């Protein structure tokens, strides 16, 4: 079952009935509850005792979406049956959310075996590029000449430097293949009879759509001081090639800008700047690399910026009434620093 397709328990039950080929058994029967209906379906599979019954394996893809079903009835009943000594049932949930157990109701959690297997993606960018080609290629297709054209085009795309740079950026942002699938889906949606092949511009447009996320939208609501701190962090990332920084480094960078362009920006006191920086932390635009401790002063706690350069520059273009000097500072090269 997929959480994206089976959006409620009624739809899920229909799909279970269809997959187990039990439509004839159910017929026009009326059930008092969801549990009765599910129990009847599983009962119909039994041929005898537990050793000779037909075992059923439930794989719940996008498992986190099933917890939003009313009263979590499907999960409760599946876990309940899998724990009982009736029909042999195993339930496997697949999800990217590590906090999934916190979303389960107490009665559902009590019937869960608490066995969790973490699978981390360990492939490098070369393998990621191969996955990109495999996902976009047409292995079998009725129109062989079109399939040949399509696959040749995919090969050219994978060799295109701008496409590779974009994929590398996504790869460093997240190795989660769902993100890659979403990007490709957005690009493939542009394919029509008059535009039969995916182009590099389709992928870049899809990437722009994908990256227009909540973080970029948050930037539009920041104060000019907070924008300046984000730009200071951007420059630190460029200079130190993504190495972590601390507030003191950000403050020093901001001070350099103020001294060069004193007429366009008020020189705020350090505690005010610190408060603005803490607001960026609350908005999760910046992340501390370690837990704050008594031994480390707040100014020297190592941080990482959770926005990339493209997101910052795109957000600045849409930022209302952004001072020209601030925009120029954001776009300035390393030599200017």
């Amino acid at each position: 079952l997929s959480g994206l397709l089976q959006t409620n328990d009624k739809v899920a039950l229909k799909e279970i009935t269809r997959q187990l080929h039990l439509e004839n058994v159910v017929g026009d029967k009326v059930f008092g509850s969801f549990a009765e209906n599910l129990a009847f379906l599983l009962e119909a599979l039994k041929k005898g005792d537990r050793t000779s019954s037909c075992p059923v394996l439930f794989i719940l893809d996008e498992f986190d979406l099933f917890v939003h079903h009313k009263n979590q009835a499907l999960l409760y009943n599946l876990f309940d049956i899998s724990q009982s000594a009736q029909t042999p049932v195993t339930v496997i949930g697949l999800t990217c959310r590590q906090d999934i157990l916190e979303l389960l109701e107490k009665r559902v959690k009590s019937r869960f075996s608490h066995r969790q297997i973490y699978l981390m993606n360990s492939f490098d960018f070369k393998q990621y590029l191969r996955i990109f080609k495999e996902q976009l290629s047409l292995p079998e297709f009725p129109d062989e000449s079109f399939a040949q054209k399509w696959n040749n085009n995919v090969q050219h795309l994978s060799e295109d430097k701008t496409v590779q740079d974009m994929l590398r950026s996504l790869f460093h942002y997240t190795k989660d293949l769902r993100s890659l699938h979403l990007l490709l889906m957005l690009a493939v949606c542009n394919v029509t009879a008059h535009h039969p092949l995916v182009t590099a511009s389709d992928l870049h447009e899809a990437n722009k759509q994908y990256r227009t996320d909540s973080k970029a939208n948050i930037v539009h609501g920041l104060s000019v001081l907070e924008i300046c701190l984000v730009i200071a962090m951007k420059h630190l990332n460029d200079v130190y090639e993504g190495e972590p920084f601390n507030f003191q480094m950000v403050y020093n960078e901001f001070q350099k800008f103020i001294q060069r362009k004193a007429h366009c920006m008020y020189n705020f006191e350090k505690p005010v700047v610190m408060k603005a920086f803490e607001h960026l932390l609350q908005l999760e635009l910046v992340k501390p690399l370690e837990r704050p401790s008594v031994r480390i002063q707040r100014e020297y706690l190592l941080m990482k910026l959770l926005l990339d350069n493209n997101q910052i520059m795109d957000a600045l273009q849409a930022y209302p009434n952004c001072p020209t000097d601030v925009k120029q500072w954001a776009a300035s090269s390393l030599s200017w620093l």
Side-chain angles (χ1 to χ4, degrees):
L1 306 175
S2 168
L4 292 168
L5 300 174
Q6 283 75 54
T7 50
N8 61 49
D9 288 349
K10 196 175 177 185
V11 177
L13 210 53
K14 273 187 182 175
E15 182 59 17
I16 293 168
T17 308
R18 187 190 68 78
Q19 287 191 40
L20 298 178
H21 305 295
L22 294 174
E23 293 95 338
N24 296 339
V25 179
V26 173
D28 296 323
K29 286 187 174 65
V30 177
F31 297 97
S33 69
F34 174 84
E36 276 179 32
N37 198 340
L38 185 63
F40 177 81
L41 288 177
L42 295 172
E43 189 68 31
L45 293 173
K46 296 179 80 172
K47 296 176 185 171
D49 57 18
R50 189 173 175 84
T51 54
S52 62
S53 292
C54 179
V56 188
L57 174 64
F58 284 89
I59 297 177
L60 308 182
D61 200 6
E62 309 286 351
F63 181 77
D64 47 296
L65 298 179
F66 285 98
V67 303
H68 300 301
H69 290 196
K70 191 180 177 186
N71 300 330
Q72 298 183 1
L74 176 70
L75 296 182
Y76 174 77
N77 284 287
L78 286 179
F79 288 168
D80 195 41
I81 291 162
S82 67
Q83 294 286 357
S84 66
Q86 298 166 5
T87 311
V89 166
T90 296
V91 183
I92 297 174
L94 307 174
T95 179
C96 289
R97 289 194 63 162
Q98 293 193 11
D99 63 344
I100 189 65
L101 290 187
E102 307 306 315
L103 304 176
L104 295 176
E105 288 181 10
K106 199 178 269 185
R107 66 191 187 120
V108 179
K109 201 188 284 188
S110 67
R111 280 159 177 77
F112 174 52
S113 66
H114 289 267
R115 289 183 64 185
Q116 296 177 75
I117 301 169
Y118 293 98
L119 303 170
M120 302 300 176
N121 293 329
S122 58
F123 45 76
D124 58 17
F125 181 68
K126 205 172 179 181
Q127 290 166 302
Y128 186 76
L129 207 54
R130 197 172 73 238
I131 293 166
F132 163 79
K133 283 196 288 185
E134 284 170 1
Q135 295 297 308
L136 208 51
S137 297
L138 290 171
E140 292 177 23
F141 197 69
D143 187 339
E144 285 182 19
S145 68
F146 176 77
Q148 184 70 41
K149 270 187 199 171
W150 178 276
N151 291 338
N152 287 343
N153 181 58
V154 171
Q155 182 62 37
H156 290 314
L157 285 174
S158 69
E159 292 165 2
D160 186 301
K161 191 179 180 306
T162 62
V163 171
Q164 284 190 6
D165 288 345
M166 182 203 70
L167 290 172
R168 190 175 280 107
S169 169
L170 182 63
F171 174 76
H172 290 311
Y173 178 66
T174 172
K175 281 187 177 182
D176 176 14
L177 290 181
R178 289 202 303 184
S179 302
L180 178 63
H181 292 156
L182 177 59
L183 178 82
L184 297 182
M185 185 191 74
L186 290 169
V188 170
C189 282
N190 287 325
V191 171
T192 63
H194 304 295
H195 180 71
L197 301 174
V198 174
T199 62
S201 62
D202 288 335
L203 285 165
H204 288 297
E205 193 55 45
N207 186 48
K208 204 178 279 183
Q209 270 180 275
Y210 173 74
R211 290 299 184 101
T212 307
D213 56 2
S214 55
K215 280 190 169 53
N217 290 333
I218 287 170
V219 175
H220 300 160
L222 298 180
S223 67
V224 176
L225 170 59
E226 287 162 349
I227 287 278
C228 285
L229 295 183
V230 168
I231 295 168
M233 289 183 268
K234 169 190 176 290
H235 284 313
L236 287 171
N237 267 349
D238 292 343
V239 172
Y240 298 109
E241 298 179 343
E243 288 294 310
F245 49 80
N246 58 40
F247 168 74
Q248 190 60 47
M249 292 165 73
V250 176
Y251 182 70
N252 292 344
E253 206 61 42
F254 174 61
Q255 285 299 307
K256 280 188 211 171
F257 170 65
I258 292 296
Q259 284 154 21
R260 284 191 180 95
K261 302 282 183 182
H263 61 280
C264 85
M265 189 81 188
Y266 178 72
N267 191 3
F268 293 93
E269 296 293 324
K270 193 173 181 179
V272 177
V273 179
M274 173 62 104
K275 199 167 183 183
F277 188 78
E278 284 174 348
H279 186 230
L280 296 176
L281 265 169
Q282 288 168 0
L283 294 172
E284 296 183 358
L285 297 178
V286 188
K287 182 178 91 172
L289 293 187
E290 53 199 328
R291 283 187 178 179
S293 69
V294 180
R295 287 176 295 174
I296 303 173
Q297 287 179 273
R298 285 187 309 170
E299 289 95 322
Y300 301 104
L301 196 65
L302 288 176
M303 303 279 179
K304 190 175 182 181
L305 182 63
L306 299 181
L307 290 163
D308 65 27
N309 286 4
N310 290 337
Q311 283 176 303
I312 294 168
M313 297 311 294
D314 288 348
L316 277 176
Q317 293 305 316
Y319 188 85
N321 306 320
C322 184
T324 307
D325 286 336
V326 173
K327 277 189 181 178
Q328 286 173 348
W329 180 40
S332 61
S333 63
L334 297 180
S335 58
W336 186 86
L337 293 166

